[in-house]
Tab-separated table of all heavy atoms in Angstrom:
chain	number	residue	atom	x	y	z
A	5	GLY	N	100.681	122.341	70.543
A	5	GLY	CA	100.117	121.215	71.288
A	5	GLY	C	101.177	120.482	72.098
A	5	GLY	O	100.995	120.193	73.284
A	6	LYS	N	102.300	120.195	71.465
A	6	LYS	CA	103.398	119.537	72.183
A	6	LYS	C	103.920	120.423	73.310
A	6	LYS	O	104.298	119.943	74.380
A	6	LYS	CB	104.535	119.196	71.216
A	6	LYS	CG	104.241	118.037	70.278
A	6	LYS	CD	105.454	117.714	69.410
A	6	LYS	CE	105.188	116.508	68.519
A	6	LYS	NZ	106.360	116.172	67.670
A	7	PHE	N	103.932	121.728	73.057
A	7	PHE	CA	104.428	122.655	74.074
A	7	PHE	C	103.527	122.663	75.295
A	7	PHE	O	104.005	122.730	76.441
A	7	PHE	CB	104.540	124.065	73.484
A	7	PHE	CG	105.116	125.064	74.437
A	7	PHE	CD1	106.446	125.001	74.818
A	7	PHE	CD2	104.327	126.066	74.971
A	7	PHE	CE1	106.983	125.916	75.713
A	7	PHE	CE2	104.852	126.990	75.860
A	7	PHE	CZ	106.189	126.911	76.237
A	8	LEU	N	102.209	122.606	75.096
A	8	LEU	CA	101.281	122.569	76.219
A	8	LEU	C	101.554	121.355	77.098
A	8	LEU	O	101.586	121.457	78.334
A	8	LEU	CB	99.837	122.557	75.714
A	8	LEU	CG	99.353	123.803	74.978
A	8	LEU	CD1	97.940	123.587	74.429
A	8	LEU	CD2	99.380	125.035	75.887
A	9	VAL	N	101.764	120.203	76.469
A	9	VAL	CA	102.033	118.977	77.237
A	9	VAL	C	103.387	119.070	77.931
A	9	VAL	O	103.545	118.662	79.085
A	9	VAL	CB	101.967	117.738	76.327
A	9	VAL	CG1	102.305	116.472	77.113
A	9	VAL	CG2	100.580	117.601	75.700
A	10	ALA	N	104.392	119.621	77.233
A	10	ALA	CA	105.720	119.768	77.832
A	10	ALA	C	105.675	120.657	79.067
A	10	ALA	O	106.326	120.384	80.082
A	10	ALA	CB	106.696	120.341	76.804
A	11	SER	N	104.886	121.731	79.014
A	11	SER	CA	104.786	122.620	80.174
A	11	SER	C	104.044	121.935	81.321
A	11	SER	O	104.364	122.168	82.490
A	11	SER	CB	104.095	123.930	79.788
A	11	SER	OG	102.774	123.709	79.331
A	12	SER	N	103.067	121.089	80.996
A	12	SER	CA	102.400	120.310	82.048
A	12	SER	C	103.381	119.352	82.711
A	12	SER	O	103.368	119.173	83.938
A	12	SER	CB	101.222	119.514	81.471
A	12	SER	OG	100.150	120.351	81.118
A	13	LEU	N	104.238	118.741	81.897
A	13	LEU	CA	105.269	117.850	82.434
A	13	LEU	C	106.199	118.623	83.374
A	13	LEU	O	106.538	118.158	84.462
A	13	LEU	CB	106.073	117.241	81.281
A	13	LEU	CG	107.043	116.117	81.646
A	13	LEU	CD1	106.279	114.834	81.943
A	13	LEU	CD2	108.043	115.874	80.522
A	14	GLN	N	106.598	119.818	82.961
A	14	GLN	CA	107.482	120.661	83.763
A	14	GLN	C	106.835	121.069	85.086
A	14	GLN	O	107.474	121.025	86.141
A	14	GLN	CB	107.859	121.922	82.977
A	14	GLN	CG	108.716	122.914	83.746
A	14	GLN	CD	108.762	124.286	83.109
A	14	GLN	OE1	107.860	124.650	82.341
A	14	GLN	NE2	109.793	125.051	83.408
A	15	LEU	N	105.565	121.448	85.034
A	15	LEU	CA	104.889	121.994	86.212
A	15	LEU	C	104.377	120.922	87.161
A	15	LEU	O	103.925	121.246	88.267
A	15	LEU	CB	103.744	122.907	85.778
A	15	LEU	CG	104.213	124.245	85.194
A	15	LEU	CD1	103.115	124.912	84.389
A	15	LEU	CD2	104.687	125.169	86.315
A	16	THR	N	104.445	119.661	86.765
A	16	THR	CA	104.035	118.576	87.669
A	16	THR	C	105.216	117.731	88.113
A	16	THR	O	105.040	116.759	88.848
A	16	THR	CB	102.986	117.668	86.992
A	16	THR	OG1	103.508	117.180	85.738
A	16	THR	CG2	101.693	118.422	86.733
A	17	ALA	N	106.429	118.083	87.672
A	17	ALA	CA	107.630	117.338	88.043
A	17	ALA	C	108.201	117.852	89.351
A	17	ALA	O	108.022	119.019	89.712
A	17	ALA	CB	108.679	117.447	86.934
A	18	LYS	N	108.899	116.991	90.059
A	18	LYS	CA	109.610	117.399	91.267
A	18	LYS	C	110.717	118.370	90.884
A	18	LYS	O	111.312	118.262	89.815
A	18	LYS	CB	110.196	116.171	91.963
A	18	LYS	CG	110.636	116.407	93.397
A	18	LYS	CD	111.078	115.092	94.023
A	18	LYS	CE	111.397	115.245	95.497
A	18	LYS	NZ	111.819	113.957	96.100
A	19	GLY	N	111.002	119.318	91.767
A	19	GLY	CA	111.963	120.366	91.442
A	19	GLY	C	111.249	121.699	91.367
A	19	GLY	O	110.042	121.804	91.605
A	20	GLN	N	111.996	122.732	91.022
A	20	GLN	CA	111.446	124.084	90.967
A	20	GLN	C	111.218	124.488	89.504
A	20	GLN	O	112.175	124.687	88.760
A	20	GLN	CB	112.424	125.067	91.623
A	20	GLN	CG	112.730	124.752	93.071
A	20	GLN	CD	114.060	125.340	93.511
A	20	GLN	OE1	115.088	125.156	92.878
A	20	GLN	NE2	114.044	126.059	94.612
A	21	PRO	N	109.972	124.604	89.073
A	21	PRO	CA	109.723	125.049	87.699
A	21	PRO	C	110.274	126.460	87.487
A	21	PRO	O	110.031	127.355	88.294
A	21	PRO	CB	108.194	125.038	87.589
A	21	PRO	CG	107.735	124.146	88.689
A	21	PRO	CD	108.723	124.317	89.798
A	22	VAL	N	111.027	126.643	86.419
A	22	VAL	CA	111.563	127.960	86.067
A	22	VAL	C	110.977	128.341	84.714
A	22	VAL	O	111.266	127.705	83.693
A	22	VAL	CB	113.101	127.954	86.000
A	22	VAL	CG1	113.623	129.341	85.627
A	22	VAL	CG2	113.698	127.502	87.335
A	23	ILE	N	110.140	129.366	84.706
A	23	ILE	CA	109.450	129.795	83.485
A	23	ILE	C	110.189	130.995	82.906
A	23	ILE	O	110.457	131.970	83.608
A	23	ILE	CB	107.989	130.172	83.801
A	23	ILE	CG1	107.255	128.964	84.399
A	23	ILE	CG2	107.270	130.674	82.544
A	23	ILE	CD1	105.950	129.330	85.074
A	24	TYR	N	110.527	130.921	81.636
A	24	TYR	CA	111.216	132.020	80.958
A	24	TYR	C	110.175	132.993	80.420
A	24	TYR	O	109.234	132.592	79.736
A	24	TYR	CB	112.074	131.461	79.827
A	24	TYR	CG	112.922	132.485	79.115
A	24	TYR	CD1	113.828	133.274	79.807
A	24	TYR	CD2	112.828	132.649	77.729
A	24	TYR	CE1	114.622	134.203	79.154
A	24	TYR	CE2	113.620	133.576	77.058
A	24	TYR	CZ	114.519	134.353	77.783
A	24	TYR	OH	115.304	135.278	77.129
A	25	TYR	N	110.349	134.265	80.751
A	25	TYR	CA	109.347	135.274	80.408
A	25	TYR	C	108.923	135.172	78.937
A	25	TYR	O	109.739	135.018	78.041
A	25	TYR	CB	109.879	136.675	80.717
A	25	TYR	CG	110.820	137.256	79.667
A	25	TYR	CD1	110.387	138.249	78.793
A	25	TYR	CD2	112.130	136.809	79.549
A	25	TYR	CE1	111.237	138.779	77.829
A	25	TYR	CE2	112.987	137.337	78.587
A	25	TYR	CZ	112.536	138.316	77.735
A	25	TYR	OH	113.378	138.832	76.768
A	26	GLY	N	107.635	135.248	78.708
A	26	GLY	CA	107.100	135.232	77.348
A	26	GLY	C	106.749	133.856	76.828
A	26	GLY	O	105.889	133.739	75.954
A	27	GLU	N	107.399	132.805	77.346
A	27	GLU	CA	107.054	131.483	76.813
A	27	GLU	C	105.644	131.089	77.223
A	27	GLU	O	104.997	130.283	76.549
A	27	GLU	CB	108.081	130.420	77.208
A	27	GLU	CG	108.132	130.026	78.659
A	27	GLU	CD	109.203	128.957	78.925
A	27	GLU	OE1	109.662	128.318	77.960
A	27	GLU	OE2	109.589	128.779	80.089
A	28	GLU	N	105.135	131.708	78.312
A	28	GLU	CA	103.780	131.398	78.747
A	28	GLU	C	102.721	132.022	77.838
A	28	GLU	O	101.531	131.726	77.977
A	28	GLU	CB	103.565	131.842	80.205
A	28	GLU	CG	103.277	133.307	80.417
A	28	GLU	CD	104.522	134.187	80.478
A	28	GLU	OE1	105.615	133.711	80.091
A	28	GLU	OE2	104.418	135.343	80.911
A	29	ILE	N	103.128	132.879	76.896
A	29	ILE	CA	102.181	133.407	75.914
A	29	ILE	C	102.562	132.970	74.497
A	29	ILE	O	102.006	133.451	73.516
A	29	ILE	CB	102.082	134.947	75.981
A	29	ILE	CG1	103.436	135.620	75.752
A	29	ILE	CG2	101.476	135.381	77.312
A	29	ILE	CD1	103.360	137.138	75.630
A	30	GLY	N	103.536	132.056	74.406
A	30	GLY	CA	103.907	131.488	73.113
A	30	GLY	C	105.071	132.160	72.420
A	30	GLY	O	105.350	131.865	71.253
A	31	GLN	N	105.780	133.072	73.105
A	31	GLN	CA	106.944	133.693	72.480
A	31	GLN	C	108.138	132.742	72.536
A	31	GLN	O	108.328	132.023	73.520
A	31	GLN	CB	107.291	135.016	73.181
A	31	GLN	CG	106.293	136.121	72.896
A	31	GLN	CD	106.740	137.460	73.471
A	31	GLN	OE1	106.382	137.798	74.588
A	31	GLN	NE2	107.524	138.210	72.693
A	32	SER	N	108.941	132.770	71.479
A	32	SER	CA	110.100	131.883	71.410
A	32	SER	C	110.998	132.363	70.279
A	32	SER	O	110.515	132.967	69.313
A	32	SER	CB	109.642	130.436	71.145
A	32	SER	OG	110.692	129.528	71.312
A	33	GLY	N	112.298	132.130	70.409
A	33	GLY	CA	113.209	132.599	69.369
A	33	GLY	C	114.550	131.888	69.407
A	33	GLY	O	114.902	131.229	70.386
A	34	LYS	N	115.306	132.050	68.341
A	34	LYS	CA	116.619	131.410	68.237
A	34	LYS	C	117.667	132.191	69.026
A	34	LYS	O	117.606	133.411	69.137
A	34	LYS	CB	117.047	131.319	66.779
A	34	LYS	CG	116.214	130.380	65.935
A	34	LYS	CD	116.743	130.328	64.507
A	34	LYS	CE	115.909	129.384	63.646
A	34	LYS	NZ	116.400	129.346	62.239
A	35	LYS	N	118.632	131.443	69.539
A	35	LYS	CA	119.784	132.048	70.196
A	35	LYS	C	120.644	132.745	69.140
A	35	LYS	O	120.646	132.369	67.972
A	35	LYS	CB	120.598	130.962	70.894
A	35	LYS	CG	121.826	131.459	71.640
A	35	LYS	CD	122.630	130.286	72.180
A	35	LYS	CE	123.853	130.771	72.971
A	35	LYS	NZ	124.776	131.571	72.164
A	36	ASP	N	121.414	133.760	69.584
A	36	ASP	CA	122.262	134.490	68.646
A	36	ASP	C	123.335	133.604	68.025
A	36	ASP	O	123.821	132.648	68.630
A	36	ASP	CB	122.935	135.678	69.352
A	36	ASP	CG	123.879	135.233	70.468
A	36	ASP	OD1	124.981	134.769	70.180
A	36	ASP	OD2	123.491	135.365	71.643
A	37	ASN	N	123.665	133.921	66.798
A	37	ASN	CA	124.792	133.311	66.079
A	37	ASN	C	125.305	134.392	65.135
A	37	ASN	O	124.870	134.512	63.996
A	37	ASN	CB	124.341	132.071	65.306
A	37	ASN	CG	125.512	131.329	64.673
A	37	ASN	OD1	126.529	131.928	64.322
A	37	ASN	ND2	125.365	130.017	64.517
A	38	PHE	N	126.216	135.205	65.681
A	38	PHE	CA	126.663	136.385	64.946
A	38	PHE	C	127.344	136.033	63.629
A	38	PHE	O	127.290	136.792	62.670
A	38	PHE	CB	127.584	137.235	65.821
A	38	PHE	CG	126.884	137.811	67.013
A	38	PHE	CD1	127.183	137.398	68.304
A	38	PHE	CD2	125.887	138.770	66.859
A	38	PHE	CE1	126.524	137.926	69.387
A	38	PHE	CE2	125.227	139.308	67.947
A	38	PHE	CZ	125.535	138.883	69.225
A	39	ASP	N	127.985	134.850	63.582
A	39	ASP	CA	128.644	134.427	62.342
A	39	ASP	C	127.639	134.223	61.212
A	39	ASP	O	127.969	134.373	60.042
A	39	ASP	CB	129.438	133.139	62.568
A	39	ASP	CG	130.631	133.343	63.493
A	39	ASP	OD1	131.106	134.492	63.578
A	39	ASP	OD2	131.068	132.369	64.119
A	40	LYS	N	126.391	133.880	61.594
A	40	LYS	CA	125.348	133.654	60.595
A	40	LYS	C	124.365	134.835	60.537
A	40	LYS	O	123.317	134.740	59.905
A	40	LYS	CB	124.592	132.363	60.905
A	40	LYS	CG	125.459	131.114	60.761
A	40	LYS	CD	124.635	129.857	60.973
A	40	LYS	CE	125.478	128.603	60.777
A	40	LYS	NZ	124.694	127.355	60.981
A	41	GLY	N	124.723	135.912	61.202
A	41	GLY	CA	123.879	137.105	61.162
A	41	GLY	C	122.624	137.017	61.986
A	41	GLY	O	121.665	137.773	61.774
A	42	ILE	N	122.589	136.085	62.991
A	42	ILE	CA	121.413	135.938	63.853
A	42	ILE	C	121.686	136.632	65.176
A	42	ILE	O	122.636	136.302	65.885
A	42	ILE	CB	121.091	134.448	64.115
A	42	ILE	CG1	120.785	133.731	62.798
A	42	ILE	CG2	119.906	134.323	65.069
A	42	ILE	CD1	120.595	132.234	62.954
A	43	PHE	N	120.869	137.626	65.520
A	43	PHE	CA	120.990	138.275	66.810
A	43	PHE	C	120.163	137.498	67.843
A	43	PHE	O	119.603	136.458	67.527
A	43	PHE	CB	120.550	139.741	66.713
A	43	PHE	CG	121.452	140.573	65.844
A	43	PHE	CD1	120.929	141.471	64.922
A	43	PHE	CD2	122.833	140.451	65.933
A	43	PHE	CE1	121.764	142.242	64.125
A	43	PHE	CE2	123.677	141.215	65.144
A	43	PHE	CZ	123.147	142.115	64.226
A	44	SER	N	120.057	138.032	69.039
A	44	SER	CA	119.421	137.288	70.137
A	44	SER	C	117.896	137.324	70.040
A	44	SER	O	117.222	138.057	70.775
A	44	SER	CB	119.885	137.856	71.481
A	44	SER	OG	121.290	137.794	71.593
A	45	GLU	N	117.350	136.501	69.156
A	45	GLU	CA	115.904	136.445	68.963
A	45	GLU	C	115.192	135.839	70.172
A	45	GLU	O	113.983	135.996	70.324
A	45	GLU	CB	115.582	135.641	67.710
A	45	GLU	CG	116.110	136.291	66.429
A	45	GLU	CD	115.962	135.398	65.206
A	45	GLU	OE1	115.435	134.269	65.360
A	45	GLU	OE2	116.381	135.814	64.105
A	46	ASN	N	115.944	135.147	71.017
A	46	ASN	CA	115.373	134.567	72.238
A	46	ASN	C	115.281	135.590	73.373
A	46	ASN	O	114.801	135.272	74.454
A	46	ASN	CB	116.199	133.365	72.692
A	46	ASN	CG	117.646	133.734	72.999
A	46	ASN	OD1	118.184	134.684	72.428
A	46	ASN	ND2	118.298	132.984	73.864
A	47	ARG	N	115.725	136.812	73.115
A	47	ARG	CA	115.665	137.883	74.125
A	47	ARG	C	114.713	138.985	73.644
A	47	ARG	O	115.050	140.151	73.576
A	47	ARG	CB	117.061	138.427	74.402
A	47	ARG	CG	118.013	137.378	74.951
A	47	ARG	CD	119.423	137.926	75.138
A	47	ARG	NE	120.316	136.928	75.701
A	47	ARG	CZ	121.584	137.145	76.031
A	47	ARG	NH1	122.105	138.355	75.831
A	47	ARG	NH2	122.320	136.185	76.536
A	48	TYR	N	113.544	138.561	73.307
A	48	TYR	CA	112.510	139.420	72.735
A	48	TYR	C	111.916	140.367	73.767
A	48	TYR	O	112.029	140.163	74.977
A	48	TYR	CB	111.397	138.539	72.174
A	48	TYR	CG	111.118	137.322	73.031
A	48	TYR	CD1	110.531	137.433	74.290
A	48	TYR	CD2	111.487	136.036	72.610
A	48	TYR	CE1	110.300	136.336	75.077
A	48	TYR	CE2	111.269	134.927	73.404
A	48	TYR	CZ	110.670	135.081	74.640
A	48	TYR	OH	110.457	133.985	75.439
A	49	ASP	N	111.230	141.414	73.275
A	49	ASP	CA	110.392	142.240	74.149
A	49	ASP	C	109.120	141.448	74.464
A	49	ASP	O	108.523	140.830	73.559
A	49	ASP	CB	109.994	143.542	73.449
A	49	ASP	CG	111.166	144.494	73.279
A	49	ASP	OD1	112.172	144.331	73.991
A	49	ASP	OD2	111.074	145.390	72.427
A	50	PHE	N	108.710	141.474	75.705
A	50	PHE	CA	107.459	140.798	76.067
A	50	PHE	C	106.318	141.446	75.293
A	50	PHE	O	106.167	142.669	75.281
A	50	PHE	CB	107.207	140.918	77.571
A	50	PHE	CG	106.072	140.062	78.060
A	50	PHE	CD1	106.317	138.836	78.645
A	50	PHE	CD2	104.753	140.483	77.932
A	50	PHE	CE1	105.265	138.037	79.100
A	50	PHE	CE2	103.699	139.697	78.368
A	50	PHE	CZ	103.964	138.470	78.949
């Protein structure tokens, strides 16, 4: 719900909206942190 409102804020603001692939269908992930064994979960397959 918060994400829907945040995207409305982004798409109605001045400037150029930049949409990251997959976030428009609800995909999301953590950035890599190799020291903690986390790979690039934010670079998912669509």
